[in-house]
Amino acid sequence: MQRRLRACVVVLLLGAAWPLWAAPPQLDAPVHEAEGIREYRFDNGLALVLFPDNSKPVTTVNVTYRVGSRHEGYGETGMAHLLEHLVFKGTPTHTDIPGEMRRRGVRFNGTTWLDRTNYFASFSTDADTLDWVLRMEADRMVNSRIAREDLDSEMTVVRNEMESGENNPVRALVQRVMGAAYQWHNYGNSTIGARSDVENVPIDRLQAFYRTWYQPDNAVLVIAGDFDPAQALAAVGASFGALPTPTRALPVTYTREPAQDGERHVVVRRVGRTPYLVAGYHIPAGRHDDSAAVAVLSQVLGSTPGGRLHRNLVEPGRATGASASALAMDEPGYLTFVAEAPEGSDLDALQTELLALVEDATATPFTDAEVDDAKQRMLAGYERAMRDPNAIGVALSEAIAQGDWRLLLRTRDRLDAVTVADVTRVAQTYLRRDNRTTGQFLPTDAVERVTISEAPTAEAALEGFVPRAALDAGEAFDPSYANIDARTKLSTLSNGAKLAVLDKDTRGNSVQIRMNLRLGDAQRLQDRTTAGQMAGTLLMRGSERYDRAALSRQLTALRSTLSVGGTATTVTVAATTDREHVGALLDLVADVLRKPAFPDSEFTQLRSQQLTGIRSSVSEPGAVANEALSQHFNAFPKGHPYHATTFEERIALIEALQLDDVRAFHRDFYGMGDGATIAVVGDVDADAVRTQLEELFGDWTLPTPFARIETPYVAREGVHKQLRTPDKANATLIARQSLRMHQDHADYPALLIGNYILGGSGMKSRLGDRIRQREGLSYGVGSNFSASVFDDTGMFGVSAIAAPENMAQVETAVREELQRIRSEGITQAELDDALDGMLRARRTSRANDPELVGMLDSNLYIGRDMAYSAAFEEKLRALTPEDVRAAMERHLQPEALSVFIGGDFKD
């Protein structure tokens, strides 16, 4: 009775004219079921997909609408993306969706792509939050305001997002290539739209577009993670089930790009330093039988480091990067190859080489090893993804856009079945001259036509499909501080390295590993920073046992990921695996850390890549502003490991570096001891892991003792600098004030909350609410605050992007909001919302193993346990609005804020 009463109340809230909701589908009667995932259908056409898993207390709700930029008409480009922004503006019932999300600690966003738009929300398991999210999503499906005033306020934000994308040369070039390749089909249009369409769209056309596509029969609702399926089904029935059945017929898109009748060419000329090449080819839709083989082909040619483009262009130094990407879409898609070239390269010669490698690929027959390596790498990604229902809940959007969520599983199986013959056939079919669009035109006497055949329907493609067994679910883990402390086993290796292991049952027997090696001291690291950075980056480029390609293959075989990188002072290892492979992965980690090969070819390649990256940055607004800020706040002399270098200094240091310097750094500093920390979370035998780590690293000691480098507080006068970066449509503002602050300071909790309210909580913070939501000046604006654990030093900062002509208004608004929170303070409601959102987010982080393992590793070095964090949360709960205001006034001084702005400012 209580559930029925709630349903009736929901119906009244959503619309008095609607009939009472029909009974939801039966839990044991799904229309489709595969690998632990079930689909239900409601009478109004809504599809509901449930993927329950209680291994971690996080729930994800993802609503996918089958509408994207492909469905826009003439003069309507960007309309699907505009709606993504405007549905966050609220409904008559839900007037402040971002604020309510933040108050509940929900992580949320929306994305728009060629075939679909989706909205997802993840949160710490809570039945009331799930019920609210479902009611809100059902409400905004049909009742969003889509008002003229909201469109006007959001217009500059959307333009700013457009300008931000235009700053990226690769993104701009790929878009121009696709625009030339698709002369009739809307895949040639950018999702964000044409500026003229976005700026002039009539509100009635936008409202009509919304009413057409935002309906239950065009939506698939996915609920994944920790929830009660029966309760969720009832809640969906009470919210989405109450929506009326649409009376209109959904439009059907029927435009197909005709066979391309000759190679096409585009040129983009912009300010910058780094040249790029793109070659693209039409390919079938994602449901087509050839799609899986095309995906494998893109990996064989474009993966790093084993792909043919990397081996033949990057390793010899003719390119600094090469990649491939296959767009598997609802309608015939596109395969692109991208090469980044060193400054001053002969692009014509490089393009000739790239096209020979692509279009004549079958002249060098594909091998079983190449194809199997590509397949296993992609299949390993599927296996890792299936361990996390919350991630799969969002990833299903792409399969839904192609017609059915089960296509994700079918694609995996089709990848598994791809043969060398399949890869050869699709290469010969689609990688043809007359199907190509590049940056060069070549006339020809002969023509070649490539006609893309239609993909089968989802129903036909899935005929005979047999899903695999669902992965075993893990335990329902309690992420409370007390339970984490009680379950974590602490120990110390014989070399002094500290170890924390939290063993628990996880979905798919997943395991997370984190290590940090801390090296040297300020005196001994003098003038060796560049060698240390290069050493850390080169570790994954090959060991004595595995070269770079073999290392990549071994990780694929182990169904694992491994990231190793470092600076002169710290080396960080982050890895994911499962119970079966954790031992072999730890062996591999030891091999990488202790026995790096430092190949000359990889050193030369990496040095070229780093130089190219630096030279690319010198014309980017954000990089230029950040360099100026770093120089202003630099507190260390040249040669010191923490010295802030200029672009020119970094280039000179890298050009002067020798491989022997890198090898000497590893010999002189690498090892474990005081300062080394290791954390493991997941399905492991804690004692066995400790024994293996002792065997692998127990005798590996530091050749040079580690001593933490102190970071002093250095006051700086506030400055204001405008830095011109020509031909950049988007400007970047970065501001900072140094603070005398540490994490045990009495004002630290108040400053943390104050910053969260001011600008640290996204678009519903004060800065976001004013500058993005109300005034529509910036797509991204926020503030940040940090303080040292050890030293009496901290910082407060602000960052924003905007059109150059709007940046003065952005800065004025930032300073006014900073002064307002200092003088007027905050309300009790703001404090309560911020505290609730922050605590919920912290709980969600503890429930996420990749974040939890990082916390345990950090605590080992700091000397804290989870009880410290629990006590800190009590300090947060004890705060009053006046505590926050007074702390902000004491420490944040608008006149001390140093502001650096990079952009194309007109004289």
Side-chain angles (χ1 to χ4, degrees):
M1 173 65 79
Q2 188 174 12
R3 181 180 300 167
R4 182 72 175 178
L5 177 61
R6 180 187 300 171
C8 293
V9 171
V10 170
V11 171
L12 291 173
L13 289 173
L14 291 176
W18 295 347
L20 291 178
W21 59 286
Q26 295 298 307
L27 185 65
D28 58 354
V31 295
H32 298 300
E33 183 175 6
E35 302 184 21
I37 309 174
R38 289 183 166 190
E39 177 185 353
Y40 302 87
R41 293 286 175 87
F42 287 78
D43 291 341
N44 59 11
L46 178 80
L48 169 65
V49 176
L50 300 181
F51 191 4
D53 174 70
N54 66 353
S55 61
K56 61 181 180 180
V58 177
T59 308
T60 294
V61 174
N62 182 53
V63 183
T64 301
Y65 295 91
R66 292 190 179 100
V67 60
S69 57
R70 182 187 103 217
H71 302 87
E72 295 159 346
Y74 185 78
E76 295 181 344
T77 61
M79 201 173 267
H81 178 251
L82 275 177
L83 282 181
E84 178 211 321
H85 281 248
L86 291 186
V87 298
F88 282 99
K89 296 293 187 178
T91 73
T93 303
H94 295 87
T95 58
D96 185 10
I97 291 173
E100 285 297 311
M101 292 273 209
R102 187 191 71 171
R103 189 177 69 79
R104 289 172 168 82
V106 178
R107 299 179 179 181
F108 66 97
N109 207 344
T111 70
T112 307
W113 191 221
L114 301 170
D115 294 320
R116 55 90 190 139
T117 306
N118 76 303
Y119 303 89
F120 60 90
S122 293
F123 46 90
S124 182
T125 301
D126 180 77
D128 290 338
T129 300
L130 175 59
D131 187 63
W132 179 87
V133 169
L134 293 174
R135 286 186 287 110
M136 179 276 294
E137 290 288 4
D139 188 22
R140 72 172 173 178
M141 177 182 282
V142 295
N143 292 321
S144 291
R145 285 196 298 261
I146 318 298
R148 179 79 252 175
E149 58 268 28
D150 289 334
L151 178 60
D152 291 341
S153 69
E154 196 70 10
M155 187 59 63
T156 310
V157 173
V158 175
R159 279 198 300 259
N160 186 215
E161 185 180 0
M162 182 185 300
E163 292 152 356
S164 178
E166 286 294 301
N167 276 10
N168 187 313
V170 176
R171 180 172 171 179
L173 181 58
V174 170
Q175 182 57 54
R176 300 303 180 271
V177 167
M178 291 189 66
Y182 288 97
Q183 297 192 340
W184 301 102
H185 194 282
N186 271 2
Y187 283 172
N189 295 332
S190 168
T191 301
I192 204 165
R195 180 182 287 267
S196 59
D197 288 359
V198 172
E199 292 178 341
N200 297 291
V201 57
I203 190 64
D204 58 341
R205 290 185 69 176
L206 191 59
Q207 291 167 342
F209 192 85
Y210 167 72
R211 288 192 297 269
T212 297
W213 298 104
Y214 279 58
Q215 294 288 337
D217 63 344
N218 193 44
V220 178
L221 169 65
V222 179
I223 307 176
D226 187 18
F227 64 94
D228 184 294
Q231 292 179 5
L233 193 58
V236 173
S239 51
F240 287 88
L243 301 179
T245 302
T247 58
R248 60 88 186 92
L250 277 168
V252 177
T253 59
Y254 47 81
T255 300
R256 293 293 183 270
E257 191 70 23
Q260 193 166 314
D261 56 359
E263 62 271 50
R264 298 172 188 167
H265 177 70
V266 295
V267 172
V268 175
R269 298 183 188 274
R270 293 188 177 187
V271 172
R273 304 289 293 274
T274 304
Y276 298 90
L277 289 174
V278 172
Y281 303 83
H282 294 280
I283 57 173
R287 298 184 306 276
H288 196 284
D289 286 344
D290 284 349
S291 183
V294 171
V296 173
L297 171 65
S298 73
Q299 284 284 311
V300 170
L301 295 178
S303 67
T304 299
R308 290 188 176 185
L309 297 184
H310 182 89
R311 288 187 281 113
N312 289 278
L313 298 179
V314 179
E315 290 183 357
R318 288 187 284 278
T320 54
S323 62
S325 176
L327 288 181
M329 309 304 297
D330 188 37
E331 295 178 359
Y334 210 60
L335 172 61
T336 56
F337 299 90
V338 180
E340 179 189 76
E343 183 180 2
S345 296
D346 183 342
L347 275 185
D348 290 341
L350 181 59
Q351 178 172 305
T352 298
E353 289 188 77
L354 184 146
L355 294 179
L357 289 167
V358 171
E359 295 179 8
D360 297 329
T362 57
T364 303
F366 297 114
T367 66
D368 288 334
E370 283 181 304
V371 172
D372 188 66
D373 181 55
K375 287 168 52 178
Q376 294 306 316
R377 185 163 47 252
M378 288 185 284
L379 291 170
Y382 275 92
E383 288 187 18
R384 289 192 297 271
M386 289 300 292
R387 298 172 189 162
D388 187 353
N390 291 279
I392 286 292
V394 177
L396 287 175
S397 290
E398 304 306 329
I400 290 168
Q402 294 178 30
D404 195 302
W405 59 269
R406 292 172 295 164
L407 291 169
L408 179 78
L409 308 178
R410 177 184 181 269
T411 298
R412 174 204 59 202
D413 291 356
R414 294 196 64 80
L415 284 171
D416 204 7
V418 169
T419 65
V420 170
D422 293 329
V423 176
T424 300
R425 174 177 51 78
V426 296
Q428 293 172 337
T429 302
Y430 304 112
L431 301 183
R432 305 277 289 275
R433 179 196 59 203
D434 285 358
N435 192 37
R436 175 217 308 157
T437 301
T438 64
Q440 188 172 2
F441 169 77
L442 297 173
T444 181
D445 295 329
V447 296
E448 296 178 5
R449 299 286 187 258
V450 176
T451 302
I452 307 298
S453 59
E454 285 295 317
T457 64
E459 291 76 10
L462 289 162
E463 186 176 352
F465 168 66
V466 179
R468 302 180 186 183
L471 289 177
D472 292 335
E475 65 177 284
F477 182 73
D478 171 19
S480 65
Y481 289 119
N483 186 57
I484 292 172
D485 272 341
R487 297 270 305 260
T488 302
K489 298 179 180 179
L490 303 178
S491 60
T492 303
L493 303 185
S494 58
N495 58 13
K498 297 177 181 178
L499 171 65
V501 182
L502 197 168
D503 57 294
K504 62 171 185 169
D505 294 335
T506 54
R507 180 174 179 81
N509 311 119
S510 62
V511 179
Q512 305 291 328
I513 301 170
R514 185 70 52 83
M515 296 183 184
N516 271 287
L517 281 59
R518 295 173 177 87
L519 313 175
D521 57 37
Q523 180 179 353
R524 293 178 177 85
L525 290 170
Q526 180 71 22
D527 296 322
R528 303 189 73 174
T529 303
T530 306
Q533 292 170 340
M534 188 70 75
T537 308
L538 279 171
L539 289 173
M540 287 296 291
R541 302 274 180 129
S543 67
E544 292 181 3
R545 186 177 178 186
Y546 301 97
D547 64 20
R548 187 180 180 187
L551 184 59
S552 177
R553 289 193 297 270
Q554 179 68 359
L555 285 170
T556 299
L558 296 178
R559 297 297 191 263
S560 304
T561 66
L562 175 61
S563 171
V564 183
T567 65
T569 59
T570 306
V571 181
T572 299
V573 177
T576 64
T577 187
D578 55 30
R579 184 183 182 94
E580 178 184 354
H581 298 105
V582 65
L585 180 62
L586 289 175
D587 288 340
L588 186 63
V589 171
D591 189 64
V592 167
L593 290 176
R594 299 192 64 170
K595 300 176 181 179
F598 295 130
D600 182 76
S601 60
E602 292 292 343
F603 171 74
T604 301
Q605 181 187 132
L606 179 58
R607 182 164 59 179
S608 176
Q609 291 170 337
Q610 291 186 346
L611 290 171
T612 299
I614 296 170
R615 289 168 177 145
S616 297
S617 299
V618 300
S619 59
E620 294 301 318
V624 171
N626 188 66
E627 185 205 34
L629 180 142
S630 299
Q631 291 298 306
H632 180 65
F633 286 95
N634 179 46
F636 299 96
K638 284 188 177 182
H640 190 282
Y642 290 170
H643 172 71
T645 54
T646 65
F647 292 128
E648 293 75 15
E649 287 173 339
R650 290 199 291 280
I651 289 172
L653 287 168
I654 293 172
E655 287 180 336
L657 187 68
Q658 301 298 313
L659 183 55
D660 285 343
D661 300 330
V662 178
R663 291 172 172 151
F665 188 93
H666 185 273
R667 181 191 65 234
D668 295 344
F669 292 100
Y670 270 61
M672 284 188 178
D674 185 31
T677 52
I678 308 171
V680 182
V681 173
D683 195 351
V684 297
D685 181 326
D687 293 335
V689 166
R690 191 207 179 283
T691 299
Q692 184 179 7
L693 287 170
E694 177 65 35
E695 292 173 353
L696 293 173
F697 298 109
D699 63 345
W700 195 35
T701 58
L702 289 168
T704 300
F706 163 70
R708 186 182 67 83
I709 301 173
E710 295 183 1
T711 304
Y713 165 75
V714 179
R716 290 284 187 270
E717 291 186 2
V719 299
H720 189 282
K721 293 188 177 181
Q722 198 172 82
L723 309 157
R724 191 161 184 263
T725 55
D727 201 30
K728 296 295 180 181
N730 191 59
T732 299
L733 177 150
I734 306 176
R736 181 186 295 180
Q737 176 195 343
S738 293
L739 302 177
R740 193 182 294 279
M741 178 59 52
H742 56 84
Q743 291 189 15
D744 289 324
H745 192 288
D747 284 342
Y748 177 72
L751 289 173
L752 196 67
I753 284 285
N755 175 72
Y756 186 84
I757 293 170
L758 176 64
S761 55
M763 63 181 178
K764 200 50 192 172
S765 64
R766 285 192 177 185
L767 292 180
D769 194 45
R770 174 177 173 177
I771 297 172
R772 171 172 171 155
Q773 298 290 87
R774 297 203 309 271
E775 298 182 3
L777 295 171
S778 172
Y779 176 68
V781 60
S783 65
N784 53 87
F785 160 70
S786 63
S788 173
V789 174
F790 303 106
D791 302 315
D792 194 21
T793 184
M795 59 80 63
F796 166 76
V798 177
S799 62
I801 59 172
E805 62 269 22
N806 292 331
M807 195 54 87
Q809 292 173 263
V810 170
E811 184 180 350
T812 296
V814 167
R815 291 186 180 276
E816 288 177 355
E817 290 303 317
L818 178 56
Q819 182 56 42
R820 187 164 72 90
I821 202 170
R822 293 175 72 252
S823 58
E824 300 176 16
I826 63 173
T827 66
Q828 185 65 50
E830 281 184 303
L831 177 58
D832 291 344
D833 284 352
L835 182 61
D836 186 61
M838 183 179 289
L839 295 182
R840 286 174 182 263
R842 287 165 67 95
R843 186 176 189 274
T844 299
S845 294
R846 299 194 302 276
N848 185 26
D849 288 353
E851 294 183 69
L852 177 58
V853 75
M855 296 178 200
L856 295 179
D857 183 80
S858 177
N859 280 347
L860 288 173
Y861 179 58
I862 298 170
R864 292 176 179 170
D865 56 16
M866 288 296 180
Y868 179 95
S869 298
F872 179 75
E873 290 190 0
E874 292 304 314
K875 294 179 181 178
L876 292 174
R877 292 186 178 95
L879 291 171
T880 67
E882 177 55 23
D883 293 335
V884 176
R885 188 208 65 77
M888 299 290 275
E889 183 181 34
R890 274 193 295 271
H891 297 281
L892 304 188
Q893 309 298 328
E895 66 277 6
L897 202 62
S898 293
V899 180
F900 302 85
I901 309 175
D904 190 0
F905 301 101
K906 307 304 180 185
D907 296 333

